[in-house]
Amino acid sequence: MTKKILHTAHYFVIMNGNLQSTIRNLQSTIRNLQLRRPPMSILHLSGVRLLLPCIASSLLAIGMLVGRNYMGHQGYWFLIWNLFLAWLPYCAAIWMAWVVQRKQTSLWLTLLPIGILWILFLPNAPYLLTDIVHIFGMHFVWWYDIGILFSFAWAGLLLGVASLHIMAELIATRYGWLAGWGVVLVTAGLSGIGVYVGRFLRWNSWDAILRPRILAHDLLNIFSDPSTYPRLIGVSGFIACVMLVGYLMIISVQPRNISNSQKV
């Protein structure tokens, strides 16, 4: 009887050791899977899911402009060019998301070539808001002209906010929500300044690469002249606030089951 008890106890000791070993192996496997988990899918990014609305709003704007010209009031084709420039930062943001997912490398390794282009061309998106100044020279049906300019402005703002959200999500996924919000606030402010430089100084995004010295000289003159501050702060602040409001609109309709690192 004693031998049976000892044999049974020995059996349970062996089984307990095997169970503990199995649990440790399972925990180790789970940790390895967490460390090796793939980056967020591009299709999960809220900004990418806005592709269809961006296309639809752009087609609406272009269609209204084509209709205006078809009715005999020619001109203002430059709005389509401005809209094309607004698409560039959105495409750059999707490109960066694709590279990060495919190569699974540090985000900063791809931020330099693509991110610089993104930040340079991002002001072209909210810049379409300032094209409302052309309303005084269009001389067609007033509500139709306002509709054209509003359609282009809406498409540009949507593209800018969507691209901003893609970049913020990429940063937040790797470095946390605080870093993501930092990118949003800084980028919105820089976009406001970029719109001011484009509208009032007539500089283009590619001038930062082709003529950096002359551009830097003009910027220094602006920041060193206090008389330019009211308009600079007013225009830049307005554009930045509009982008932030649009950004808040997007994150407010996000699904609630997302992780905290993506809530930016």
Side-chain angles (χ1 to χ4, degrees), residues 73-170:
H73 293 265
Q74 305 295 322
Y76 296 95
W77 293 110
F78 63 86
L79 291 172
I80 298 180
W81 171 251
N82 291 345
L83 181 61
F84 167 76
L85 294 178
W87 269 92
L88 294 182
Y90 183 72
C91 294
I94 295 179
W95 183 17
M96 175 172 285
W98 180 82
V99 171
V100 170
Q101 180 189 23
R102 185 161 180 101
K103 293 188 175 181
Q104 300 184 9
T105 58
S106 174
L107 181 60
W108 296 108
L109 296 179
T110 59
L111 183 63
L112 289 178
I114 309 174
I116 291 177
L117 293 177
W118 174 74
I119 195 66
L120 285 178
F121 283 92
L122 182 60
N124 290 287
Y127 179 85
L128 283 163
L129 292 171
T130 65
D131 281 331
I132 193 67
V133 298
H134 299 292
I135 188 61
F136 301 106
M138 298 186 76
H139 302 305
F140 186 47
V141 181
W142 65 270
W143 57 265
Y144 194 91
D145 290 339
I146 291 178
I148 291 176
L149 296 177
F150 176 80
S151 298
F152 277 96
W154 171 256
L157 179 62
L158 185 60
L159 288 165
V161 172
S163 67
L164 178 59
H165 197 280
I166 292 173
M167 301 298 285
E169 280 188 298
L170 292 176

Side-chain angles (χ1 to χ4, degrees), residues 40-56 87 90 94 97 158 161-163 165-166 169 250-258 262 264:
M40 186 193 331
S41 173
I42 295 179
L43 297 179
H44 293 164
L45 297 173
S46 299
V48 176
R49 293 200 298 268
L50 289 173
L51 176 60
L52 184 58
C54 288
I55 294 176
W87 269 92
Y90 183 72
I94 295 179
L158 185 60
V161 172
S163 67
H165 197 280
I166 292 173
E169 280 188 298
I250 291 180
I251 65 174
S252 66
V253 297
Q254 279 186 313
R256 294 185 177 182
N257 59 349
I258 57 177
Q262 299 175 24
V264 295

